[in-house]
Amino acid sequence: TLAPVFMLQLDTSLKAQVSISELKILGSLALNNFSLSLVHSEVGPFKVDSIQTLLKLALQMVVLPKVNARLSKGFPLPTIKNLQLVNPSLTVNQGHVLIGTDVQYSR
């Protein structure tokens, strides 16, 4: 049977920026805080500094650039036949993003 040898706790916070441009939702992420700690170990205590450094580096150098590359391309706002979105605006609230817009009907 498998049994955990140790347990780590990862605490992190990210800064997210969201905007609307050319009828697309764009965004970016930046790392604010990153810390790793040992919660429990069956093999005795050990330092997690090197693991934390490696994970933080991977996040900053590999993961976030790939995520930001995709977020910078944007995600198109949904469209409805014969309706054009005019002056869309974006409001970020606790737990959700609100998109408001005027619409223009055309045949």
Side-chain angles (χ1 to χ4, degrees), residues 7 12 14 23 27-29 36 44 46 51 61 63 65-66 74-75 79-80 83 89 93 95-96 101:
M7 186 185 325
T12 186
L14 296 168
L23 299 180
S28 67
L29 295 176
L36 190 67
F46 60 91
I51 299 170
M61 302 300 284
V63 176
K66 287 186 178 189
F75 298 89
T79 57
I80 300 172
L83 290 180
S89 66
N93 294 313
H96 69 280
T101 186

Side-chain angles (χ1 to χ4, degrees), residues 11-26:
D11 293 310
T12 186
S13 67
L14 296 168
K15 177 183 177 184
Q17 293 183 320
V18 183
S19 62
I20 292 181
S21 179
E22 299 177 10
L23 299 180
K24 291 181 183 178
I25 299 175
L26 309 170

Side-chain angles (χ1 to χ4, degrees), residues 34-104:
F34 186 94
S35 66
L36 190 67
S37 59
L38 179 63
V39 175
H40 173 75
S41 173
E42 293 294 333
V43 295
F46 60 91
K47 293 187 178 198
V48 296
D49 297 349
S50 57
I51 299 170
Q52 176 177 308
T53 301
L54 182 63
L55 289 175
K56 185 176 180 179
L57 186 63
L59 187 61
Q60 290 176 319
M61 302 300 284
V62 178
V63 176
L64 284 178
K66 287 186 178 189
V67 169
N68 284 331
R70 179 59 187 105
L71 291 174
S72 70
K73 291 178 183 176
F75 298 89
L77 293 172
T79 57
I80 300 172
K81 185 179 178 182
N82 299 329
L83 290 180
Q84 181 179 0
L85 304 180
V86 180
N87 299 321
S89 66
L90 186 135
T91 305
V92 179
N93 294 313
Q94 184 76 18
H96 69 280
V97 175
L98 176 67
I99 299 171
T101 186
D102 295 330
V103 292
Q104 182 177 358

